[in-house]
């Protein structure tokens, strides 16, 4: 019966449909699933890619629990997330200022958005020059305007992470600004009109209407920001050479990169990568679980 | 709205708010633009004038020599071409493949559709750092290290973020009746896709292509792992590797010239496709 119902056209259509979805499914198997399984296998081995993999059991995982550098790079990675709330406040403020129609506004948006599209490597190089202790633009500015002798931004362990946060803010707020702008434009003006009739002031409107109604965007920005911070690498590679002074700029991905592609500790690097992957998964899951408590849904 | 007479006051108040907003934005934009201008200025300076204090914004003497020198001394043209080859191939094939599967997932029912789509969405949750090591091992077994293949081949299988975005777009932009009508007219399955669905997807594809271009052109970790010979590197890896050489010699004008060169293509593409960049950022952000 079933074959009769499946008319000639439908059978042909099904063939086409499977053909159309085949490439991404195949890609998922080849570049997703197979590597994942292989990565689990490798993480239980010691392997330098030259000799045969050597079974180690849980030794790699035990080793990383005692590895100070893993914790240091994890601490650095989490520290960089301080930039997320600061960036949210700044980009929301920018979006509110930009959510008006006057001459030059689209030019302004472009200017704030430009760092977002600029290559991260080029941006890191230019900031390396700006943050130069003796001749950099920033320290000159601090001296001329405030009479402060600026620190050795990328040369002192205590200043490396604040420098990275500063650069992250400069290059990231334009992207979040655009998200907030889209969010602001989707808020119906009736909310504000109703609030005005009740005599609400600007502060009230901001804290009682704008910020709560934007919670889906706050949520998106936080989730993506944390995932992005966990994966940060390129800026670190340029700005914190060899992990920076006292390894103060190394992130987890940088640590994995070093072990895999400089020391060829493929097994150990895979174990660290798995710990990071699981950590990202858990943190993201917790955020989704918590989201129904604070994210506003229509 | 409002009472007569109140309109004038509101408009005046709005104008003041506009003015204050503009002033604040202008003030902020100084900090956004200064690094770029400083970079351009440095790239046009003679090496000896770089360390002058207070900093000179307008180079004197003014020279394009750094650009010529960095272009000659390093294989920047190769870097450009390598990046371009990757971008063009991955974008054209990858976008088409993504569009095809987005069409199938978005407009048709077929057995195992849900499982397949969920499986694909699952890949979005895998961080690159987990798969980069096994992928490297696989590609090195194939002897593809130091070629562009590891950076091109995975991109040919489509991209789940793009598929997801276009699927959402199709569900609202393309009525199913359109497909039914074309079927009755005797159009074939690929015929309907290429003649009807693909033109409808154009705006969504353009938006995603703009974002993907930026992602591929600016990618660093992948090319850094795979490309070792300077002539085979992408522009990003090439300028990153120059850092050790030129900053070691405190030759900031050279490295700034190289940085500007690497930025030019993105900025050109951005100016032509600006609308798409900002739209796709906003849309994919909210729907994602």
């Amino acid at each position: 019966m079933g074959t009769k119902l499946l008319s000639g056209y439908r059978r042909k259509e099904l063939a086409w449909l499977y053909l159309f979805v085949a490439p991404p499914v195949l890609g998922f198997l080849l570049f997703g699933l197979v590597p994942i399984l292989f990565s689990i296998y490798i993480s239980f081995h010691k392997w330098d890619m030259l000799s045969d993999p050597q079974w180690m059991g849980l030794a790699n995982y035990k080793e990383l629990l005692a590895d100070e550098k893993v914790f240091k790079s994890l601490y650095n990675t989490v520290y960089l997330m301080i930039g997320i709330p600061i960036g949210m406040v700044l980009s929301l403020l920018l979006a509110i200022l930009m959510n008006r129609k006057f001459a030059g506004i689209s030019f302004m948006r472009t200017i704030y958005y430009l760092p977002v599209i600029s290559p991260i490597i080029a941006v890191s190089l230019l900031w390396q020059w700006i943050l130069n202790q003796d001749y950099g633009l920033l320290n000159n500015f601090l001296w001329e305007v405030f009479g402060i002798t600026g620190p050795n931004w990328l040369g002192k362990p205590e200043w490396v992470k604040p420098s990275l946060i500063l650069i992250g803010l400069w290059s990231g707020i334009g992207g979040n600004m655009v998200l907030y702008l889209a969010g602001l434009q989707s808020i119906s003006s009736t909310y504000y009109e109703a609030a005005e009739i009740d005599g609400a002031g600007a502060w009230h409107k901001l804290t009682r209407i704008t910020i709560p109604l934007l919670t889906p965007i706050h949520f998106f920005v936080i989730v993506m920001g944390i995932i992005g911070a966990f994966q940060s690498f390129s800026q670190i590679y340029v700005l914190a050479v060899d992990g920076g002074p006292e390894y103060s700029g190394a992130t987890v991905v940088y640590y994995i990169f070093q072990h895999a592609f400089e020391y060829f500790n493929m097994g150990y690097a895979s174990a660290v990568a798995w710990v990071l992957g699981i950590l990202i998964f858990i943190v993201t899951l917790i955020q989704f679980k918590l989201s129904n408590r604070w994210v506003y849904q229509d | 709205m409002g009472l007569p007479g109140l309109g004038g006051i509101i408009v005046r108040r709005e104008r003041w708010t506009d003015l204050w907003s503009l002033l604040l934005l202008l003030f902020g934009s100084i900090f956004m633009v200064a690094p770029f201008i400083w970079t351009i200025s440095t790239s046009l300076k003679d090496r000896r004038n770089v360390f002058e204090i207070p900093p000179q914004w307008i180079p004197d003497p003014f020279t394009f020599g750094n650009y010529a020198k960095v272009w000659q001394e390093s294989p920047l043209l190769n870097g450009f071409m390598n990046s371009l080859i990757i971008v063009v191939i991955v974008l054209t094939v990858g976008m088409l493949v993504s569009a095809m599967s987005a069409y199938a997932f978005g407009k048709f029912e077929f057995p195992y559709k849900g499982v397949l789509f969920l499986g694909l969405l699952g890949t979005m949750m895998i961080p690159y750092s987990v798969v980069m090591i096994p992928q490297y091992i696989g590609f090195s077994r194939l002897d593809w290290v130091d070629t562009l293949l590891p950076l091109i081949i995975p991109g040919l299988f489509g991209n789940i973020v793009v598929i997801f975005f276009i699927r959402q777009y199709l569900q609202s932009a393309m009525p199913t009746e359109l497909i039914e009508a074309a079927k009755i007219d005797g159009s074939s399955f690929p015929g309907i896709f290429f003649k009807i669905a693909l033109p409808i997807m154009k705006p969504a594809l353009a938006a995603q292509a703009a974002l993907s271009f930026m992602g591929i052109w600016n990618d660093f970790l992948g090319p850094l792992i795979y490309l070792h010979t300077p002539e085979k590197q992408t522009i990003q890896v090439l300028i990153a590797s120059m850092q050790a050489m030129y900053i070691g010699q405190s030759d900031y004008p050279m490295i700034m010239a190289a940085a500007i060169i690497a930025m030019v293509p993105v900025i050109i593409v951005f100016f032509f496709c600006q609308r798409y960049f900002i739209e796709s950022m906003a849309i994919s952000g909210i729907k994602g």
Side-chain angles (χ1 to χ4, degrees):
Chain A
M1 272 325 247
T3 41
K4 241 185 201 173
L5 282 171
L6 211 64
S7 69
Y9 187 90
R10 175 64 179 157
R11 204 175 298 164
K12 237 192 226 169
E13 187 177 82
L14 273 181
W16 277 113
L17 285 170
Y18 286 116
L19 194 71
F20 269 37
V21 300
V25 172
L26 210 64
F28 160 70
L29 294 176
L30 284 176
F31 306 111
L33 198 61
V34 171
I36 281 191
L37 296 176
F38 192 59
S39 172
I40 297 174
Y41 169 83
I42 283 297
S43 76
F44 295 109
H45 289 74
K46 185 187 170 82
W47 195 29
D48 58 4
M49 282 187 73
L50 297 170
S51 45
D52 288 334
Q54 222 185 313
W55 172 257
M56 300 280 283
L58 285 170
N60 284 331
Y61 289 94
K62 276 186 198 143
E63 190 186 332
L64 77 84
L65 284 178
D67 186 342
E68 240 176 78
K69 276 191 166 179
V70 169
F71 287 98
K72 182 135 197 185
S73 59
L74 189 62
Y75 166 76
N76 294 340
T77 311
V78 174
Y79 189 119
L80 295 182
M81 293 177 192
I82 295 173
I84 299 171
I86 305 173
M88 285 170 73
V89 173
L90 288 175
S91 49
L92 177 59
L93 189 74
L94 275 177
I96 290 171
L97 292 175
M98 292 224 190
N99 191 24
R100 339 194 105 250
K101 287 190 177 85
F102 51 81
I105 196 74
S106 81
F107 180 68
M108 277 293 152
R109 285 180 198 164
T110 306
I111 284 184
Y112 283 91
Y113 196 68
L114 218 50
V116 182
I117 55 136
S118 301
I120 209 164
I121 295 302
V123 162
S124 303
L125 288 171
L126 71 95
W127 275 94
Q128 189 171 44
W129 174 216
I130 289 168
L131 296 175
N132 183 302
Q133 185 186 9
D134 303 314
Y135 305 101
L137 194 59
L138 185 59
N139 280 357
N140 256 293
F141 173 81
L142 290 176
W143 177 249
E144 297 285 325
V145 180
F146 303 106
I148 299 170
T149 308
N152 186 0
W153 295 96
L154 296 167
K156 280 270 177 279
E158 63 270 31
W159 283 105
V160 172
K161 283 185 281 289
S163 304
L164 290 167
I165 292 173
L166 175 74
I167 299 165
L169 285 172
W170 180 81
S171 38
I173 50 172
N176 290 341
M177 170 204 79
V178 169
L179 296 178
Y180 276 124
L181 201 54
L184 287 174
Q185 283 167 356
S186 69
I187 299 178
S188 157
S189 61
T190 51
Y191 289 109
Y192 294 107
E193 281 158 21
E196 259 168 58
I197 290 167
D198 292 341
W203 177 250
H204 241 76
K205 282 191 274 182
L206 177 71
T207 53
R208 298 286 160 82
I209 302 173
T210 312
I211 292 177
L213 284 180
L214 290 176
T215 45
I217 301 190
H218 303 319
F219 179 65
F220 182 79
V221 170
I222 294 171
V223 171
M224 296 312 280
I226 290 179
I227 292 177
F230 269 130
Q231 310 214 52
S232 55
F233 172 80
S234 307
Q235 330 70 309
I236 311 304
Y237 184 86
V238 172
L239 292 165
V241 179
D242 290 326
E246 292 169 27
Y247 220 58
S248 56
T251 54
V252 183
V253 176
Y254 185 81
Y255 186 73
I256 297 169
F257 170 85
Q258 267 197 325
H259 268 274
F261 304 107
E262 284 177 14
Y263 315 143
F264 289 95
N265 276 335
M266 291 302 181
Y268 187 62
S270 296
V272 180
W274 267 105
V275 171
L276 176 68
I278 290 166
L279 202 63
I280 295 178
F281 183 75
I282 292 172
V283 170
T284 310
L285 200 70
I286 291 172
Q287 291 185 79
F288 272 91
K289 285 267 183 245
L290 290 178
S291 72
N292 50 22
R293 289 204 200 155
W294 68 276
V295 176
Y296 171 85
Q297 252 106 17
D298 287 301
Chain B
M1 46 165 242
L3 302 159
L6 214 73
I9 299 169
I10 289 172
V11 168
R12 213 172 306 150
R13 204 173 59 193
E14 287 278 299
R15 284 224 188 104
W16 274 108
T17 325
D18 278 357
L19 187 68
W20 277 110
S21 305
L22 186 64
L23 284 177
L24 272 170
L25 287 173
L26 268 174
F27 180 73
S29 70
I30 296 171
F31 295 96
M32 301 310 285
V33 169
F36 286 114
I37 297 183
W38 182 238
T39 306
I40 296 172
S41 154
T42 304
S43 74
L44 296 169
K45 279 180 191 166
D46 191 284
R47 201 173 141 189
R48 279 159 299 175
N49 299 76
V50 175
F51 302 109
E52 268 171 45
I53 286 177
Q56 257 187 349
W57 286 85
I58 297 160
D60 177 31
F62 188 98
T63 169
F64 282 101
N66 301 306
Y67 286 89
K69 209 170 143 209
V70 79
W71 191 263
Q72 281 161 5
E73 279 185 8
S74 63
L76 273 182
L77 183 64
N78 283 322
F80 245 98
M81 291 316 289
N82 292 333
S83 292
L84 200 65
I85 292 169
I86 297 172
V87 162
V88 169
I89 300 178
V90 171
L91 271 194
T92 44
V93 180
M95 281 291 148
L96 181 68
V97 166
S98 301
M100 286 161 89
S101 60
Y103 174 65
F105 278 123
K107 294 270 90 177
F108 295 91
E109 288 306 321
F110 51 91
Y112 307 112
K113 173 174 137 168
V115 183
L116 292 177
F117 193 66
L118 272 180
L120 288 184
L121 284 183
T123 45
M124 285 206 287
M125 280 186 267
I126 308 167
Y128 181 63
S129 47
V130 169
V131 290
M132 87 182 165
I133 295 167
Q135 279 187 8
Y136 177 82
I137 292 167
F139 285 129
S140 68
R141 280 283 158 85
L142 293 169
D143 235 349
W144 284 0
V145 174
D146 216 18
T147 73
L148 299 182
L149 290 172
L151 303 164
I152 293 175
I153 303 298
L156 303 183
F157 291 81
N159 177 313
I160 181 59
V161 180
V162 180
I163 295 172
F164 188 72
F165 178 82
I166 297 174
R167 178 179 155 274
Q168 298 286 96
Y169 180 84
L170 271 182
Q171 280 175 344
S172 59
M174 185 179 185
T176 311
E177 293 79 43
L178 212 59
I179 301 171
E180 297 300 324
K183 267 189 206 171
I184 293 164
D185 286 345
S187 299
S188 66
F189 186 89
I192 301 174
F193 171 75
F194 282 105
K195 282 192 211 116
I196 301 170
L198 206 55
I200 291 175
M201 288 179 215
K202 252 191 200 160
L205 277 173
Q208 285 303 312
L211 268 191
S212 301
F213 169 84
M214 183 178 80
I216 300 167
W217 187 271
N218 294 350
D219 185 23
F220 181 65
L221 181 51
L224 176 71
I225 292 171
Y226 289 108
L227 308 173
H228 305 303
T229 315
E231 282 75 20
K232 288 177 179 161
Q233 285 168 342
T234 61
I235 187 90
Q236 308 301 340
V237 183
L238 203 59
I239 63 159
S241 67
M242 281 179 194
Q243 132 179 272
M245 192 166 111
Y246 292 124
I247 288 183
Q249 305 168 357
S250 294
D251 200 342
Y252 281 101
M254 286 285 262
I255 195 79
M256 291 301 112
I260 295 283
I261 291 174
M263 273 187 206
V264 166
V266 236
I267 289 175
I268 290 174
V269 171
F270 177 64
F271 272 102
F272 282 106
C273 315
Q274 213 185 85
R275 189 163 67 91
Y276 295 124
F277 269 106
I278 295 192
E279 262 172 31
S280 55
M281 266 294 283
I283 297 168
S284 54
I286 290 159
K287 299 218 165 138

